[in-house]
Amino acid sequence: MRHEKAGQLLALARMLAATAEGLTLDEMAERLGVGRRTAERMRDAVRDVFPQLEEMDDPPTRRFRIPAGLDGLFQAPTAEELAALAAAGELFAQQGAAARAGAVKSLEQKVLSATRAAARRRLAPDLEALLQAETIAVQAGPRPFEDAAVLAAIRQALLSMHALTFRYAGGTTPGRVRQVTPFGVLFGRSNYLVADEGQGPRNWRLDRIGEIAVSERPAARPDGFSLQAYADESFGIFQDDTEDVVLRVSPAGAEDALRWRFHANQSVERQADGAVIVRFRASGMLELAWHLFSWGDKVRVLAPASLRATLIAELDRALAAHTSEIDVASA
């Protein structure tokens, strides 16, 4: 128990050293999963060990931080942390995300180079064992396009709050030059720039963007826009009308459904017969229909009607294609 408390204090010290604006007591309590009174005692204990702890007025509360950071003695990584970092880089590389894979690899090298030699030697056997014992299963699916020059231009525009210009190979007029206000990037099975050309945010596939440049025109995304909230509106990437979705998962698939996340804001209700009702609000009915194929007869769409119709249409299309192939083969 004493070791656990010491670990919590060190975790709090790292949090306070990692923030520029500082943390309030309520924020400390939330991040550590403790009550406010416990957070106060932990803050006082951290102050005893790190007298450089700084208090700042932020009416109606106060913020705390360790402005000069922590000595490397308190920041040595563990073998598990380094293995997780290496795995993240490998996952990015397998997904075709070369730019992010390179960034993670660079970070890994910086962490190791900042670690004292004695600590590196102590970590080496455990790290090697973990790297050999853990690997990533390659998932079938598209390899997202990720060009370092495209990402660099997008990030520069976002940081400088300027518009982007590029030639777009998609849309109704392929090859047209666009000028947009960038809002952010969605990484997933395909990578998209979220940007506004004047009709509100929409998604632009990165692999269809060429001749990209940062414009001289100032452009900032509107106050209050949340990229996470925008992403959460859709089941996948495609954005269309937002619908209230209700799915019934049969008892045979209930345990899988309880461990599965259909949507970030879903609610799950167990039924008396062992089935599960899943509810969420989202757009992207076509992508949701594609996903529901993988559940076979374990999922039934209760709402909306548009999702049920989309699912039936896609099933009919697939059935027609495969039926015609059988007919031709037997002729």
Side-chain angles (χ1 to χ4, degrees):
M1 184 63 70
R2 288 195 298 271
H3 292 311
E4 181 181 339
K5 290 181 179 179
Q8 278 192 314
L9 290 177
L10 184 54
L12 177 57
R14 286 172 175 155
M15 292 177 194
L16 294 170
T19 175
E21 65 275 10
L23 298 176
T24 66
L25 281 170
D26 288 336
E27 289 170 342
M28 293 181 213
E30 180 182 359
R31 295 191 185 191
L32 293 167
V34 300
R36 181 185 170 90
R37 187 71 191 99
T38 300
E40 289 178 350
R41 290 195 297 267
M42 293 178 68
R43 176 209 57 196
D44 293 340
V46 167
R47 182 188 284 119
D48 291 340
V49 181
F50 301 99
Q52 65 268 40
L53 180 69
E54 182 177 273
E55 296 186 23
M56 300 167 292
D57 284 325
D58 184 20
T61 184
R62 298 179 66 80
R63 291 186 171 273
F64 303 85
R65 67 180 180 182
I66 299 177
L70 300 182
D71 184 88
L73 174 66
F74 299 100
Q75 300 287 55
T78 66
E80 290 80 5
E81 289 169 340
L82 289 172
L85 192 59
E90 177 63 21
L91 179 59
F92 281 143
Q94 289 188 11
Q95 292 175 340
R100 284 180 290 163
V104 171
K105 185 64 178 177
S106 177
L107 175 60
E108 180 186 3
Q109 292 171 345
K110 289 177 181 178
V111 170
L112 285 171
S113 65
T115 303
R116 297 181 180 185
R120 287 201 305 270
R121 288 193 296 270
R122 187 174 62 253
L123 288 168
D126 288 346
L127 178 59
E128 182 65 22
L130 287 174
L131 291 177
Q132 290 182 2
E134 300 175 356
T135 190
I136 298 169
V138 178
Q139 300 294 319
R143 289 171 61 87
F145 171 86
E146 189 167 308
D147 183 273
V150 171
L151 283 177
I154 293 172
R155 286 165 175 161
Q156 181 185 346
L158 288 167
L159 292 173
S160 65
M161 294 188 291
H162 281 79
L164 275 170
T165 61
F166 53 81
R167 190 176 299 278
Y168 194 61
T172 56
T173 54
R176 176 182 161 194
V177 174
R178 314 284 187 141
Q179 185 174 73
V180 301
T181 298
F183 288 9
V185 179
L186 296 177
F187 293 109
R189 291 172 62 86
S190 293
N191 297 332
Y192 291 82
L193 165 68
V194 180
D196 183 7
E197 197 181 20
Q199 296 82 36
R202 57 168 288 197
N203 301 336
W204 311 78
R205 276 178 48 170
L206 296 192
D207 61 332
R208 296 179 177 177
I209 291 176
E211 302 175 26
I212 190 169
V214 180
S215 168
E216 293 296 324
R217 178 174 70 84
R221 64 187 186 187
D223 292 339
F225 176 83
S226 166
L227 186 64
Q228 186 63 60
Y230 174 81
D232 286 347
E233 289 179 359
S234 175
F235 175 78
I237 291 296
F238 299 148
Q239 296 278 343
D240 50 30
D241 292 339
T242 302
E243 305 272 12
D244 290 314
V245 177
V246 184
L247 307 174
R248 183 185 187 277
V249 185
S250 69
E255 290 304 317
D256 288 337
L258 291 171
R259 293 191 296 267
W260 192 266
R261 187 177 73 169
F262 289 88
H263 193 268
N265 300 316
Q266 70 181 28
S267 66
V268 180
E269 308 162 14
R270 283 183 176 272
Q271 304 298 294
D273 64 353
V276 169
I277 300 295
V278 182
R279 303 176 190 271
F280 55 90
R281 184 168 174 79
S283 62
M285 294 300 103
L286 179 59
E287 282 184 286
L288 179 52
W290 292 343
H291 172 71
L292 293 179
F293 287 160
S294 65
W295 288 80
D297 62 353
K298 295 178 181 178
V299 171
R300 184 158 57 91
V301 177
L302 302 184
S306 61
L307 174 58
R308 191 182 307 113
T310 299
L311 183 59
I312 292 171
E314 292 297 300
L315 286 169
D316 287 343
R317 187 176 294 111
L319 180 62
H322 287 77
T323 302
S324 62
E325 287 182 4
I326 293 173
D327 292 342
V328 170
S330 61

